[in-house]
Amino acid sequence: INIKSKSMKKILIVMALLAGVYNLNAQTAKNDWMVGGNFRLNTSDNNTQIAFTPNAGMFIAENLAFGGNFSLSYSKSGNNKYTSFGIGPFMRYYFTTESQAVRPILHGSFNFLSNKQKIGSLSSTNSGTNFFVGGGAALFISQNVSIDALLGYDRTKYKNFSGSGGFAFNIGFQVYLLKSQVEKVRGKK
């Protein structure tokens, strides 16, 4: 009986270690979730820009997430004010499945935009589109949180205006929720 008890303890320890390794690798497993975004604040002499872009997505396959993002930005330059709202899909791919602190990623997003401009006493609204395609890395600061750095091409085009684009650098964060954690919150477990 004593041998079985020691064997059982070894089996339980090995199972606990395997479960821990699985959880370390599971942040980007199929049916896991990611929630996060980025915040930008830019101020200079008589010019202010504030932007907030949250997102949420689900991993539809190992390391491949699909979801939606929302953007809200405000800028003021002198007496001119601009407010922009956007919504659209994104896709993200993580290149590794191991529990690495830094994981290379590819990211693409597309947004439908609505922009309100107030120049002096005149006000107008316009619609447009924006897309971003780039790559970078997710630095995991814990098992379920990463700080993301992305470098890529960003282009915006509004109706009846020429489009503009260029390289953009974004820093944001993501919180990764395992499928079991999401089900627990939803009351399914």
Side-chain angles (χ1 to χ4, degrees):
I1 297 175
N2 209 4
I3 294 173
K4 287 184 180 181
S5 157
K6 284 182 182 181
S7 296
M8 190 59 122
K9 286 180 185 177
K10 287 179 184 178
I11 290 171
L12 289 174
I13 289 171
V14 169
M15 287 176 63
L17 288 173
L18 288 174
V21 170
Y22 174 76
N23 282 337
L24 287 175
N25 293 329
Q27 310 95 307
T28 60
K30 185 176 179 181
N31 295 324
D32 288 348
W33 285 80
M34 61 189 285
V35 178
N38 61 55
F39 178 78
R40 179 177 53 214
L41 175 64
N42 185 8
T43 61
S44 61
D45 203 23
N46 205 20
N47 188 6
T48 302
Q49 182 183 30
I50 300 169
F52 178 60
T53 309
N55 64 41
M58 182 176 149
F59 286 88
I60 58 174
E62 186 82 13
N63 295 321
L64 179 62
F66 179 77
N69 60 71
F70 165 83
S71 66
L72 183 60
S73 67
Y74 170 81
S75 62
K76 181 179 178 187
S77 180
N79 291 329
N80 303 332
K81 297 177 184 178
Y82 306 90
T83 305
S84 180
F85 168 78
I87 191 165
F90 78 87
M91 285 193 88
R92 177 178 282 199
Y93 182 76
Y94 293 77
F95 282 99
T96 57
T97 59
E98 300 171 17
S99 57
Q100 296 175 293
V102 178
R103 298 180 66 181
I105 53 178
L106 284 179
H107 183 92
S109 63
F110 184 85
N111 282 322
F112 297 97
L113 303 173
S114 177
N115 185 336
K116 182 177 180 181
Q117 306 173 52
K118 186 172 182 187
I119 301 173
S121 61
L122 300 174
S123 175
S124 66
T125 303
N126 201 352
S127 61
T129 58
N130 168 267
F131 75 86
F132 173 85
V133 176
L139 170 64
F140 282 81
I141 59 174
S142 77
Q143 178 183 347
N144 293 73
V145 178
S146 71
I147 296 175
D148 303 344
L150 294 169
L151 177 64
Y153 183 72
D154 189 82
R155 180 167 173 76
T156 302
K157 166 102 174 71
Y158 284 101
K159 188 176 177 181
N160 301 323
F161 290 95
S162 297
S164 64
F167 285 95
F169 180 71
N170 294 327
I171 293 182
F173 74 95
Q174 295 296 325
V175 175
Y176 301 86
L177 305 170
L178 304 179
K179 178 184 175 186
S180 60
Q181 293 169 318
V182 173
E183 287 176 348
K184 188 176 182 180
V185 169
R186 294 173 66 193
K188 290 189 174 184
K189 274 194 171 182

